[in-house]
Amino acid sequence: ILHFAFCSAAILYLDPSSASYYQDDIFMVEIRLDTQGEIINAVRASLEFPPDILKVEDFSKGNSVLTLWPREPVFGREIGLISFSGGVPGGYWGKDGLLGKIIFQAHQASLIATQSIANIKFLEDSTVLLNDGLGTEASLTTKGAVFEILTEVGERKNPWQEEIEKDDVLPEPFKISLSQSPSIFDGKYFITFSTVDKQTGIDHYEVLEWKKDGWKLTTSPYVLENQELTSDIKVKAIDKAGNYWMETLEAQNKPKTNYLIYVGLGIILMLVVVILWLILRKKVKT
């Protein structure tokens, strides 16, 4: 008996697939996914663009169906490459799932030509995995985009800046998880955290362990500097517009010295009160 394994298809595509822009225009290109009726749980995408015609300004994860990002979006601006990996716990099914938005700026490759043609395409290492517990790759179809860049300088448009200015939604609440494993980070304590932002997307995270050191730019996972776990740990998720949500992981081991100091101060205060009372009593008798 012969058994045949059929991998369902999926389509990675760009929206819009074609358009015309003036020199210096800033525009957004959405990366979308059609799962073709199947449930998927992971995507790895690599895209190529002409760096002499287009410049990557930013990447937005706002409203993405991907909620985990084992590989954050990386830009190779000089060589014209964009890549990222994302996952969806529990899986995703849909025809037009938004994975992310690339923000480009158009510029002219040639001062002689009246226009330039910018082709953006997915590379062969782009993959989509089915939510079958086996890591099965779906048969993948990709559809790129072609943009016409005109030498003329029109009324400069920047829809990305307009989107940022309208963003008044905070990142969503999240949990800070404390972990330790002999096989990870030499057995040191570390924290993990992740959240999403429904508009412009998460820009970065900041962590605070010691007030004297201030906030530090960080990523998840983060190895704690204070391995004694005697201080509260604060993490801020900050979106592209500067809105932020902060969570706190309370100290696991409160410093005992603080309590001893308070007890000592309490005893001293009581002694002072008693001594003053005795002095006043003596004066009253005399």
Side-chain angles (χ1 to χ4, degrees):
I1 301 175
L2 296 178
H3 296 277
F4 297 93
F6 295 94
C7 294
S8 301
I11 302 172
L12 275 176
Y13 65 97
L14 300 179
D15 184 26
S17 60
S18 63
S20 295
Y21 298 102
Y22 291 108
Q23 186 175 349
D24 294 332
D25 274 356
I26 290 177
F27 61 97
M28 295 184 288
V29 179
E30 297 178 347
I31 307 170
R32 291 190 174 271
L33 172 67
D34 181 352
T35 67
Q36 295 283 283
E38 292 296 325
I39 301 176
I40 64 94
N41 65 7
V43 177
R44 181 178 67 197
S46 298
L47 299 100
E48 183 180 63
F49 66 92
D52 57 337
I53 303 176
L54 300 177
K55 176 185 175 184
V56 177
E57 290 289 320
D58 210 339
F59 188 102
S60 172
K61 298 182 292 185
N63 276 324
S64 175
V65 299
L66 303 175
T67 55
L68 295 179
W69 296 82
R71 179 178 172 81
E72 292 284 337
V74 176
F75 317 135
R77 289 186 171 93
E78 294 182 358
I79 57 175
L81 289 176
I82 301 171
S83 63
F84 64 86
S85 296
V88 192
Y92 168 78
W93 172 93
K95 291 185 176 182
D96 57 356
L98 177 65
L99 304 185
K101 299 176 185 177
I102 310 169
I103 293 85
F104 284 113
Q105 181 177 26
H107 59 92
Q108 187 53 252
S110 171
L111 297 177
I112 300 175
T114 58
Q115 65 179 28
S116 295
I117 302 299
N119 287 283
I120 307 174
K121 63 180 181 180
F122 290 93
L123 299 181
E124 292 183 359
D125 64 347
S126 299
T127 57
V128 173
L129 302 183
L130 298 176
N131 189 45
D132 59 0
L134 301 174
T136 305
E137 287 191 18
S139 177
L140 183 62
T141 298
T142 61
K143 298 180 180 180
V146 179
F147 299 117
E148 180 186 42
I149 309 303
L150 305 174
T151 55
E152 305 171 55
V153 178
E155 181 182 353
R156 186 170 178 177
K157 300 176 182 179
N158 192 340
W160 176 231
Q161 184 60 38
E162 294 174 6
E163 194 167 315
I164 289 176
E165 292 173 356
K166 293 177 182 177
D167 184 356
D168 57 1
V169 176
L170 303 181
E172 296 193 351
F174 58 98
K175 180 181 178 182
I176 305 172
S177 298
L178 177 68
S179 305
Q180 182 189 40
S181 172
S183 60
I184 304 175
F185 301 126
D186 297 323
K188 293 181 179 179
Y189 286 103
F190 64 94
I191 56 173
T192 53
F193 45 86
S194 180
T195 188
V196 296
D197 180 78
K198 293 298 185 183
Q199 280 194 274
T200 53
I202 298 297
D203 184 71
H204 66 277
Y205 295 92
E206 294 180 5
V207 64
L208 177 68
E209 283 192 73
W210 311 98
K211 289 184 179 179
K212 61 183 179 64
D213 293 337
W215 291 92
K216 296 181 180 180
L217 186 68
T218 189
T219 56
S220 178
Y222 167 77
V223 180
L224 298 177
E225 294 180 3
N226 178 13
Q227 289 291 308
E228 301 300 320
L229 308 181
T230 55
S231 61
D232 292 346
I233 303 160
K234 299 180 184 295
V235 175
K236 286 196 294 191
I238 305 169
D239 68 16
K240 298 287 185 179
N243 305 309
Y244 72 88
W245 183 273
M246 184 178 72
E247 296 285 357
T248 300
L249 179 65
E250 293 187 357
Q252 306 298 298
N253 301 317
K254 293 288 186 180
K256 295 181 180 179
T257 53
N258 287 348
Y259 297 107
L260 293 176
I261 290 173
Y262 295 143
V263 170
L265 290 174
I267 293 173
I268 291 172
L269 182 61
M270 289 177 62
L271 288 173
V272 170
V273 171
V274 170
I275 291 171
L276 289 174
W277 180 76
L278 290 174
I279 293 173
L280 290 173
R281 184 180 179 185
K282 187 176 180 180
K283 285 184 177 180
V284 170
K285 286 184 177 181
T286 56

